[in-house]
Amino acid sequence: MSDLSSLGDFLQRRREALQPEDVGLARGVRRRTAGLRREEVALLSHMSTDYYARLERGTGPTPSEQMLTALAQGLHLSLAERDHLFHLAGHRPPARHSGTDHIGPGMLRVLDRLDDTPAEIVTELGETLRQSRLGIALLGDASLRSGPARSIGYRWFTDPSARAAYPPDEQAALSRVYAAGLRELVAAHGPASRVAALADDLRSRSEEFDALWLSHEVGARPPATKRFLHPEVGVLELSCQTLLDPDHSHRLLVYTAQPGSESAEKLRLLAVLAETTAR
């Protein structure tokens, strides 16, 4: 059974405990609210301010699991807090496993501070969960993807446009990386897992993937320096630093350019283009 009054109280307490800088927002000069404003939580959770306000007052409808998931991420809840939120709404919390889309609050706080750097949080299947502003400008908006196509490895072998951002002379090596990575994940999760089903689907859809699968290669890794082809700024050579959250099997990928390099200048140009597009 749901307890909407306690749900509203919990949302209010969590909102008041967060500061704008905790979630990547500007504080401004006339802030009187303790913690975040309701409209800020609504923006972070991709819902209307009126809907969120009714939830806090305990007068709104029982939120769906999708809405609860959005609230948990918008409020940077821990897994324990997320589960509590689901229980208050009368829903069973999502299972805790390595394939969860729930991002840990610590990793979210790091990403929120990378507004001037291309960065993304990905699952072990290469599903992008959250991107920085420059991450979207460099690699496209991952929120527009759904189903198996959320995985870069799946898109790589089923959608030719997925390779457009990578130089042709590196694509064969990247194919080996994605196939080998999927091999390792299937071994780790077992033949009845979602990962195994994805591999079976790919074998039926891509002759290239099937041939690589049959080679049974493991251990292939991408180069430390990645090259990207951007339609507006051209080729960028970027180093990729990785931060691992072992509790969720998520990785924060941060792309940086050598100071003073041509790629560093192109990143600055990309930031200007992203800012212009956002206006």
Side-chain angles (χ1 to χ4, degrees):
M1 295 291 292
S2 62
D3 183 350
L4 296 184
S5 176
S6 294
L7 174 69
D9 181 71
F10 181 64
L11 291 174
Q12 180 182 345
R13 302 304 176 192
R14 298 279 65 74
R15 173 175 62 81
E16 292 175 347
L18 285 173
Q19 298 303 314
E21 52 269 25
D22 295 333
V23 294
L25 297 176
R27 170 168 288 277
V29 295
R30 292 189 175 182
R31 177 171 293 272
R32 298 177 180 176
T33 305
L36 297 181
R37 300 185 178 103
R38 289 188 179 92
E39 57 266 30
E40 290 171 331
V41 175
L43 175 66
L44 292 166
S45 304
H46 309 290
M47 60 185 62
S48 72
T49 301
D50 177 68
Y51 178 83
Y52 175 76
R54 286 189 291 140
L55 288 179
E56 266 204 16
R57 292 195 298 265
T59 60
T62 300
S64 66
E65 293 183 10
Q66 181 179 6
M67 284 295 190
L68 292 169
T69 298
L71 282 167
Q73 289 292 203
L75 287 166
H76 287 32
L77 300 185
S78 66
L79 279 176
E81 291 170 331
R82 181 206 66 176
D83 290 355
H84 183 64
L85 181 70
F86 270 75
H87 285 137
L88 290 176
H91 291 288
R92 183 185 299 275
R96 297 192 186 192
H97 54 77
S98 61
T100 180
D101 285 357
H102 182 82
I103 305 169
M107 185 165 280
L108 275 177
R109 286 193 292 270
V110 176
L111 180 69
D112 288 338
R113 286 160 173 76
L114 297 174
D115 187 61
D116 61 347
T117 305
E120 58 182 344
I121 296 174
V122 302
T123 69
E124 59 184 3
L125 264 179
E127 300 158 321
T128 300
L129 302 177
R130 189 72 66 93
Q131 296 168 286
S132 67
R133 180 176 59 92
L134 271 188
I136 295 174
L138 177 66
L139 298 168
D141 189 350
S143 68
L144 302 177
R145 306 181 188 115
S146 61
R150 293 174 61 211
S151 167
I152 177 59
Y154 187 89
R155 294 196 308 278
W156 187 263
F157 293 104
T158 59
D159 181 1
S161 68
R163 305 191 182 201
Y166 302 88
D169 60 339
E170 296 183 4
Q171 292 181 11
L174 289 173
S175 293
R176 292 175 49 226
V177 168
Y178 292 131
L182 202 53
R183 260 292 185 186
E184 295 169 33
L185 287 175
V186 170
H189 293 280
S193 63
R194 181 171 71 98
V195 182
L198 189 75
D200 289 341
D201 189 16
L202 278 176
R203 293 190 67 184
S204 68
R205 291 176 180 270
S206 168
E207 292 183 2
E208 179 190 14
F209 178 81
D210 188 53
L212 290 168
W213 186 260
L214 291 174
S215 72
H216 211 129
E217 179 181 9
V218 295
R221 294 293 181 264
T225 299
K226 297 179 179 291
R227 295 171 65 214
F228 297 97
L229 289 175
H230 192 274
E232 294 177 279
V233 302
V235 178
L236 299 99
E237 294 189 356
L238 305 176
S239 298
C240 180
Q241 281 73 44
T242 302
L243 175 66
L244 173 65
D245 181 349
D247 291 335
H248 300 77
S249 293
H250 293 163
R251 287 170 171 79
L252 172 61
L253 308 180
V254 183
Y255 304 99
T256 61
Q258 183 71 25
S261 66
E262 182 179 353
S263 291
E265 184 59 35
K266 289 180 176 179
L267 271 186
R268 284 190 286 271
L269 175 57
L270 189 62
V272 173
L273 293 173
E275 182 67 26
T276 303
T277 302
R279 291 175 181 171

